[in-house]
Each structure stands twice: as structure tokens, then as C-alpha cells.
Amino acid sequence: MNSDKLHRSRGDKMIAGVCGGLANWLGWSSTTVRILYVLISLFSAAFPGLIVYVILWVVMPSD
């Protein structure tokens, strides 16, 4: 179920709901988004991935 706006998920979260919110917005499985996020973070030396996650955590409003 796609949403018009990008929000962090309150119900489908492991840390802050960023990947759950992205998955909901994209209409994908949250597991798929989490796996892709981890892979992208690892291949980018993990540090930029952590920065992006924290920025999204601060910028994305909650449900």
C-alpha cells in the first residue's frame, strides 16, 4: 500500500522505522529494503550508510 508521503513506520521498525517507512512508501517488503540497505552500506564502507540513516531518522516525520 503506497503512501503519498514518506514517513517513518511506527509498527514496522527495528531501530527507528526508516526502512519500514521506505518500504511502505515504495510498496516493497520491509525485509527487502533492509537487506538492500545493509548491502549498499557495506559496499559503501558502511560509514556513509550510517550517516544517511541518521539523517533520514531526523528528517523523516513519524506516522
Side-chain angles (χ1 to χ4, degrees), residues 16-61:
V18 172
C19 289
L22 284 171
N24 186 30
W25 184 64
L26 293 169
W28 294 2
S29 162
S30 59
T31 303
T32 303
V33 172
R34 287 182 183 115
I35 290 171
L36 286 172
Y37 184 81
V38 168
L39 290 174
I40 290 168
S41 293
L42 288 175
F43 289 119
S44 67
F47 187 69
L50 292 174
I51 291 174
V52 170
Y53 193 89
V54 170
I55 290 170
L56 287 174
W57 186 353
V58 171
V59 173
M60 285 174 62

